[in-house]
Amino acid sequence: MVLTKHIDWRLTRSALFVTFTSLGTASTALAADASLSDQAQEPPFDQERFNNEAVKPSWSLIIGAGGIYEPEYEGSDDLKVSPVPLVIFTYGEWLEIDPTGVTITALRREGFSLAGKVGYETGRDQDDHDRLNGLGDIDFAATVGAKAAYTWNAFEFYATLDQTIEGSESLIGTLGVEYSAPVTERLMLGAGAEVVVANDKHMQAYFGVNAAQAAASGLSEYKAEAGIKRVNVSASATYGLSEDWFIRGEAALGILTGDAADSPIVEKKLQPSASIFVGYKF
């Protein structure tokens, strides 16, 4: 599902700032004929020593809904519209929960960050499209992964690695760059590009056809090997309708390459998608 990896709109971050003030007490004259400049002042009152209230945590919650227009399966020439709920929760600078999974950032320093992630792979059902009949289902499965990123001005350069547990047993790596910058106080534009690399098991599960599948589906037998499977480009716009409400739209194009593009399962190498969401930020 194409969504969240581009969901860092910088509207999901919030911080609470607390300012403490203190008042100094002016000293009195020690003698009637002594000058004020010769008098020592008492130390300023330390308000924080007597403040027993805990500092409130920095968190953000976004809820909303929208829809995505995308291929019926990866490689399909037919498109479908699917409703998608939107829930994004962040806590401080280290925890984010979004529709793609849970991300924990362990390190941030001088623009560099390192994070771990737990997510999922939706798999594929042979009933999703006529061309998949006889290929069998690919089971839904959990994924674990890591992301390293470097932020420079409005750019983020990143690399991710995700391993599927059970299911297709995929190992997928991604190299990409994202750009995001405000145009006005309410409008933010973004763009991105990435290259996706997959191992033999992922390629064979989603694009290969073994002998039994060929006999059941009528497709030619095909062996798909590891390599670059696709290149993705995207553009997005986020507009603040008010202080709390916003709307976001995104258009993307995936280009299947290598053994993925040559698979008999694939009807079309170009994989367009578009999405729109309305959300409320607490």
Side-chain angles (χ1 to χ4, degrees):
M1 180 168 55
V2 180
L3 175 67
T4 290
K5 94 178 33 173
H6 303 124
I7 215 158
D8 182 7
W9 310 323
R10 304 186 185 180
L11 296 176
T12 63
R13 309 293 186 195
S14 64
L16 300 176
F17 299 91
V18 179
T19 304
F20 297 99
T21 60
S22 59
L23 298 175
T25 304
S27 60
T28 59
L30 294 176
D33 59 346
S35 65
L36 292 175
S37 60
D38 295 328
Q39 307 307 313
Q41 292 185 342
E42 294 179 8
F45 179 68
D46 188 355
Q47 176 67 42
E48 293 190 44
R49 293 178 56 190
F50 299 94
N51 189 351
N52 295 323
E53 294 184 4
V55 177
K56 294 181 180 180
S58 173
W59 63 273
S60 174
L61 174 63
I62 290 176
I63 60 173
I68 184 169
Y69 187 55
E70 63 180 351
E72 294 191 354
Y73 69 91
E74 191 171 20
S76 175
D77 190 25
D78 298 317
L79 302 173
K80 65 178 180 179
V81 177
S82 302
V84 180
L86 176 65
V87 178
I88 302 173
F89 175 77
T90 62
Y91 186 91
E93 293 292 325
W94 64 276
L95 174 66
E96 179 171 329
I97 303 173
D98 63 31
T100 66
V102 179
T103 301
I104 296 177
T105 301
L107 174 66
R108 290 186 186 275
R109 185 174 182 180
E110 298 179 351
F112 177 79
S113 64
L114 184 62
K117 182 174 182 178
V118 177
Y120 59 90
E121 182 182 271
T122 57
R124 190 181 68 192
D125 192 327
Q126 67 174 350
D127 295 330
D128 288 344
H129 195 277
D130 291 343
R131 197 171 185 84
L132 301 177
N133 288 338
L135 298 180
D137 298 337
I138 302 174
D139 294 336
F140 178 97
T143 63
V144 293
K147 177 181 179 180
Y150 179 75
T151 301
W152 177 73
N153 294 330
F155 292 90
E156 181 187 60
F157 304 88
Y158 61 88
T160 68
L161 190 65
D162 294 283
Q163 174 68 60
T164 303
I165 310 300
E166 303 293 340
S168 66
E169 298 183 355
S170 299
L171 180 63
I172 298 177
T174 304
L175 291 173
V177 58
E178 289 184 348
Y179 173 85
S180 181
V183 177
T184 67
E185 290 184 355
R186 294 195 173 202
L187 178 63
M188 177 174 288
L189 298 181
E194 64 181 16
V195 176
V196 182
V197 182
N199 69 346
D200 286 331
K201 290 183 177 180
H202 176 88
M203 296 293 284
Q204 185 62 27
Y206 284 92
F207 302 102
V209 181
N210 60 31
Q213 291 173 325
S217 66
L219 297 175
S220 302
E221 190 172 346
Y222 182 76
K223 181 175 177 60
E225 298 183 346
I228 298 175
K229 81 160 189 171
R230 66 186 289 160
V231 176
N232 298 321
V233 293
S234 64
S236 65
T238 304
Y239 184 78
L241 301 172
S242 66
E243 184 177 350
D244 301 312
W245 287 94
F246 68 89
I247 186 170
R248 171 182 168 83
E250 178 175 307
L253 178 65
I255 307 168
L256 294 174
T257 64
D259 284 5
D262 296 334
S263 169
I265 297 173
V266 171
E267 295 178 318
K268 192 173 183 179
K269 297 178 183 180
L270 299 182
Q271 299 285 280
S273 65
S275 62
I276 188 167
F277 297 90
V278 175
Y280 181 86
K281 178 184 175 183
F282 291 89

